């Protein structure tokens, strides 16, 4: 996994699919079975992040694969 600053407050992450899947699975575990001492605001933020991830992952799955000659996209 590689992390770098894209700009202040924004990280660019390069990870293998299995590394990212482990992070998402851990986040889902916490979101679904969080101990009562986790602040509700933090839990809601985590659920929003996971919801955004799900939407973008579906779009990625539906998009044609990029090749090395494909233009960079958002």
């Amino acid at each position: 996994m590689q992390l770098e600053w894209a700009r202040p407050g924004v990280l660019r992450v390069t990870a293998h699919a299995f590394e990212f899947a482990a992070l998402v699975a851990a986040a889902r575990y916490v979101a679904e079975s969080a101990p009562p001492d986790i602040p509700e605001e933090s839990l809601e933020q985590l659920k929003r992040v996971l919801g955004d991830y799900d939407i973008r992952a579906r779009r990625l799955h539906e998009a044609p694969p990029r090749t090395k000659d494909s233009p960079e996209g958002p």
Side-chain angles (χ1 to χ4, degrees), residues 24-45:
V24 171
R28 287 193 198 286
Y29 176 78
V30 170
E32 294 171 6
S33 59
D37 60 336
I38 292 182
E40 188 62 32
E41 184 177 327
S42 297
L43 195 54
E44 288 305 314
Q45 184 178 20

Side-chain angles (χ1 to χ4, degrees), residues 39-57:
E40 188 62 32
E41 184 177 327
S42 297
L43 195 54
E44 288 305 314
Q45 184 178 20
L46 179 60
K47 289 178 181 179
R48 280 193 306 273
V49 168
L50 287 168
D52 290 345
Y53 167 79
D54 289 341
I55 290 167
R56 296 205 178 253

Side-chain angles (χ1 to χ4, degrees), residues 3 9 13 19 26 36 38-39 47 50 57 61-62 66 69:
L3 299 174
V13 179
E19 291 171 316
I38 292 182
K47 289 178 181 179
L50 287 168
H61 182 70
E62 294 166 356
R66 286 192 352 202
D69 297 325

